[in-house]
Amino acid sequence: QVQLVESGGGLVQPGGSLRLSCAASGRFSSISAMGWYRQAPGKERELVATVTSGDNTNYADSIKGRFTISRDNAKNTVYLQMNSLKLEDTAVYYCNADGWTTSWYNFRSWGQGTQVTVSS
């Protein structure tokens, strides 16, 4: 019932920037939090950043100060501005949304992922 569509991934040089976007659509009552996770080949998926509907943010230490998460509640869209990208930021980035269905059950939805490659 809830679909997430990501965009903005690509290939950049070290020190470059990318802006990821993720829009939620479908039938749901509310979204309490949205965020970004990433997974490099052979590694576990890890938290990048999350933001609640009240604009409380949480960042992984590895990207703190370089990435900024924001959301447009009216559009159910979350953004991730990535600056000063490093080689170790290379991963598939997944959008996530936590919320409530129209029947008021909790849900967690994931996007299909967008590739971010940082290479010189």
Side-chain angles (χ1 to χ4, degrees), residues 36-110:
W36 293 93
Y37 293 71
R38 67 185 182 186
Q39 187 169 24
K43 296 184 178 180
E44 295 183 348
R45 187 174 299 186
E46 65 175 352
L47 169 74
V48 177
T50 60
V51 59
T52 69
S53 60
D55 273 346
N56 297 118
T57 58
N58 178 236
Y59 294 96
D61 289 339
S62 61
I63 57 86
K64 194 173 298 182
R66 299 187 296 119
F67 294 6
T68 302
I69 190 170
S70 61
R71 66 182 291 177
D72 185 332
N73 290 334
K75 297 181 178 180
N76 292 311
T77 300
V78 64
Y79 307 92
L80 185 69
Q81 179 66 47
M82 304 185 293
N83 298 324
S84 302
L85 284 160
K86 303 176 180 179
L87 295 178
E88 51 263 42
D89 294 321
T90 296
V92 177
Y93 284 69
Y94 295 92
C95 178
N96 152 259
D98 296 330
W100 303 87
T101 70
T102 54
S103 298
W104 294 103
Y105 290 99
N106 293 119
F107 73 81
R108 165 163 280 194
S109 294
W110 294 92

Side-chain angles (χ1 to χ4, degrees), residues 1-3 24-28:
Q1 296 295 312
V2 181
Q3 295 81 44
S25 63
R27 299 183 68 246
F28 51 85

